């Protein structure tokens, strides 16, 4: 039974680590997309204001 308990604990810690990793990836993706949108938005605004 100790073996199964250890496996469960290992699986739990792995799941937690994966969750944190995915959270970080999602945050970076959102920030990157927001920066891209902001750049495109300001670029279009700049072009319109110049025109």
């Amino acid at each position: 039974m100790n073996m199964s308990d250890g496996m469960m604990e290992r699986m739990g810690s792995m799941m937690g680590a994966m969750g944190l990793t995915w959270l970080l990836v999602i945050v970076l993706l959102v920030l990157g997309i927001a920066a891209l949108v902001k750049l495109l938005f300001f670029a279009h605004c700049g072009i319109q204001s110049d025109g």
Side-chain angles (χ1 to χ4, degrees), residues 20-40:
L20 283 174
T21 303
W22 276 111
L23 191 69
L24 186 67
V25 168
I26 288 168
V27 168
L28 286 175
L29 270 175
V30 170
L31 284 175
I33 289 168
L36 255 176
V37 169
K38 197 178 290 185
L39 279 173
L40 288 172

Side-chain angles (χ1 to χ4, degrees), residues 4 6 9 11 13 18 22-23 27 29 35 38-39 41 43 49 51:
S4 64
E9 279 183 17
M11 284 288 288
S13 63
M18 276 188 67
W22 276 111
L23 191 69
V27 168
L29 270 175
K38 197 178 290 185
L39 279 173
F41 185 70
S49 68

